[in-house]
Amino acid sequence: MNIIDELSWRGAVNQMTDEEGLRKLTEEKSISLYCGVDPTGDSMHIGHLIPFMMLKRFALAGHHPYVLIGGGTGVIGDPSGRKTERQLQTIEKIHENAEKLKAQFMHLFGETAEISFVNNYDWLRQIDLLNFLRDYGKLFSVNTMLAKEVVSSRLEAGISFTEFSYQILQSIDFEHLFMHNDVQVQIGGADQWGNITAGIDTIRKMHGSDAMAFGLTIPLMLKADGTKFGKTAGGAVWLDPDKTSPFEFYQFWLNQDDADVVKYLKYFTFLGQEEIASLAEAVQNEPEKRLAQRRLAEEVTAFVHSPAALQEAQNITDALYHGSIADLSEHELEQAFGKMPTVDVANEENNVVDWLVGSTIYKSKRQAREDITNGAVTINGVKVVSLDETVRPHKNSNGKYIIVRKGKKKYTLARVQR
């Protein structure tokens, strides 16, 4: 199947500047293409992941993707999707973020000949003001720039010349890669259409109207209910495991709605049409089994983190579902309970009733005794069966944690102070 056909089947195409020309180009030869991300933060979230998974699909089809980290454009910041001016960061912070993003990409895609990494700071920093205005500024009509949605949407509130000039810098990127790396296609989100077409116009003004340059954007990702994809009660779902643990990441995908899961299988996995069709059938006929959600969670977690991280996430999920956390490792305990209600307790052994009240998990000894007698209290995955038991840290926590469960689902993490 042609790569354009595959992307269309996956619902991953919003707009193309020349579908027929791009299809013909990808059938005739191996092409080079790119997608960029600005290091305005130190981690990508899952919304960033979609276009870069498209790059991976091109690589699997025999083409050569470039990942562009915007160490130069990140100094300004893309005004797309914003209502107000961006708070600028220091050059040092941008460079620090760029290194972290590159490490994420290296983890996702590996350091292979299939995918190349570039940073636009390397060429943008070499352009002085006069040459910028003379060589590039003359190519851009202010009237055309004002008509771009990314700018026109900001005119009422106001936009600085700094952010107004962003599309010129991104156009320079496309032209630079076109000339020096034979890159002919730029991929981006739906909000990047204006920037991408500006880059194509720049290439054709500088290299002739027949220059073979193309643009492709992905659709805005919305859930079936029309709300924005990729947010949870705790905020964005990050690719950095320190911001969103692999367990939380796995749970995010596992809990997707039946109305969305097949779409996400097409977007976020490399599964083929036949397997996805089978999972779609399972959603219709056996939704209670959640086979599609489980497969989605497995594929994306293993890709973004690792098979080992997936196994940990599954261990935690199984332990919490069955209420048995006694065999979880220290790292698994931290993932499972790190964001649950937490109390600090002294580093001393104590009678269970006294400890439960002293730790403020229970307000009264009467209620603690009653719940223990009714079998409603577990500590470290083991049901408390006697009022005379002594509380000790979880056996795998290196003396750090005590995990209390009241009833079926109410957990508290007690951190032992040393």
Side-chain angles (χ1 to χ4, degrees), residues 18 43 213 237 333 358:
D18 177 4
S43 173
V237 181
L333 290 170

Side-chain angles (χ1 to χ4, degrees), residues 78-83 149-150 153 191:
D78 188 351
S80 298
R82 299 183 63 84
K83 296 181 180 179
E149 195 277 332
V150 64
S153 64
D191 61 350

Side-chain angles (χ1 to χ4, degrees), residues 79-80 142 144-156 158-159 163-167 195:
S80 298
V142 171
T144 301
M145 294 176 71
L146 288 172
K148 301 285 187 182
E149 195 277 332
V150 64
V151 174
S152 63
S153 64
R154 287 280 300 278
L155 290 180
E156 185 174 344
I159 183 171
E163 292 196 6
F164 180 66
S165 65
Y166 183 91
Q167 63 180 277
N195 290 329

Side-chain angles (χ1 to χ4, degrees), residues 74-350:
V75 172
I76 290 176
D78 188 351
S80 298
R82 299 183 63 84
K83 296 181 180 179
T84 59
E85 287 287 315
R86 185 185 297 273
Q87 183 68 40
L88 299 182
Q89 300 185 47
T90 65
I91 300 292
E92 292 74 21
K93 182 60 176 174
I94 292 293
H95 289 172
E96 179 184 326
N97 289 344
E99 288 302 312
K100 291 181 178 179
L101 292 189
K102 184 175 181 181
Q104 282 191 341
F105 280 118
M106 298 297 290
H107 176 75
L108 285 173
F109 299 109
E111 190 170 7
T112 68
E114 293 178 349
I115 297 179
S116 298
F117 297 89
V118 293
N119 188 326
N120 62 15
Y121 184 78
D122 294 338
W123 56 83
L124 291 178
R125 66 178 175 174
Q126 298 180 27
I127 304 173
D128 62 36
L129 176 60
L130 293 179
N131 284 326
F132 171 77
L133 294 173
R134 181 180 179 86
D135 296 340
Y136 297 103
K138 291 289 288 183
L139 302 176
F140 287 80
S141 162
V142 171
N143 292 345
T144 301
M145 294 176 71
L146 288 172
K148 301 285 187 182
E149 195 277 332
V150 64
V151 174
S152 63
S153 64
R154 287 280 300 278
L155 290 180
E156 185 174 344
I159 183 171
S160 68
F161 177 76
T162 297
E163 292 196 6
F164 180 66
S165 65
Y166 183 91
Q167 63 180 277
I168 301 179
L169 296 186
Q170 188 163 313
S171 297
I172 293 172
D173 289 343
F174 199 172
E175 191 277 333
H176 177 91
L177 293 174
F178 178 85
M179 276 296 296
H180 297 277
N181 303 86
D182 195 29
V183 169
Q184 294 180 273
V185 182
Q186 182 182 358
I187 288 177
D191 61 350
Q192 293 299 308
W193 181 253
N195 290 329
I196 291 173
T197 54
I200 293 172
D201 291 342
T202 300
I203 289 170
R204 289 176 178 165
K205 287 175 181 177
M206 296 181 69
H207 303 287
S209 59
D210 59 346
M212 300 287 282
F214 304 86
L216 185 155
T217 62
I218 62 172
L220 176 66
M221 180 65 77
L222 296 175
K223 295 189 287 187
D225 62 6
T227 58
K228 193 170 183 179
F229 166 80
K231 298 284 186 178
T232 68
V237 181
W238 300 98
L239 305 192
D240 184 341
D242 292 331
K243 292 177 176 287
T244 300
S245 72
F247 167 66
E248 294 172 294
F249 190 84
Y250 177 80
Q251 288 294 314
F252 171 81
W253 298 103
L254 194 62
N255 290 314
Q256 291 304 314
D257 193 275
D258 288 346
D260 293 312
V261 65
V262 175
K263 175 173 69 175
Y264 297 161
L265 283 166
K266 291 180 177 181
Y267 265 85
F268 292 102
T269 77
F270 298 97
L271 301 179
Q273 290 192 24
E274 186 175 334
E275 184 170 358
I276 291 178
S278 176
L279 291 167
E281 186 176 335
V283 172
Q284 294 296 319
N285 300 329
E286 302 174 298
E288 71 282 357
K289 293 185 177 180
R290 300 187 69 78
L291 297 177
Q293 283 87 346
R294 189 152 52 246
R295 194 77 172 96
L296 173 67
E298 290 169 355
E299 287 292 310
V300 187
T301 306
F303 175 69
V304 169
H305 294 292
S306 69
L310 168 62
Q311 185 61 60
E312 280 194 339
Q314 290 173 320
N315 290 344
I316 297 169
T317 300
D318 187 60
L320 292 178
Y321 183 79
H322 295 292
S324 176
I325 63 167
D327 294 324
L328 292 180
S329 69
E330 179 181 339
H331 187 241
E332 289 170 342
L333 290 170
E334 290 169 349
Q335 287 193 65
F337 301 103
K339 294 186 179 180
M340 290 188 178
T342 303
V343 296
D344 292 331
V345 296
N347 184 18
E348 57 186 23
E349 296 181 358
N350 209 336

Side-chain angles (χ1 to χ4, degrees), residues 360-409:
T360 70
I361 294 173
Y362 276 87
K363 293 182 178 180
S364 72
K365 291 186 178 183
R366 180 195 61 78
Q367 187 62 57
R369 291 191 190 100
E370 183 177 320
D371 281 3
I372 291 171
T373 302
N374 292 331
V377 178
T378 67
I379 294 181
N380 300 326
V382 179
K383 183 181 290 187
V384 179
V385 296
S386 169
L387 298 176
D388 297 322
E389 287 190 22
T390 299
V391 178
R392 298 180 178 86
H394 189 286
K395 63 181 182 180
N396 296 333
S397 74
N398 195 27
K400 294 180 181 178
Y401 307 120
I402 300 167
I403 316 295
V404 179
R405 191 185 76 188
K406 297 161 59 177
K408 292 185 177 181
K409 295 182 178 180

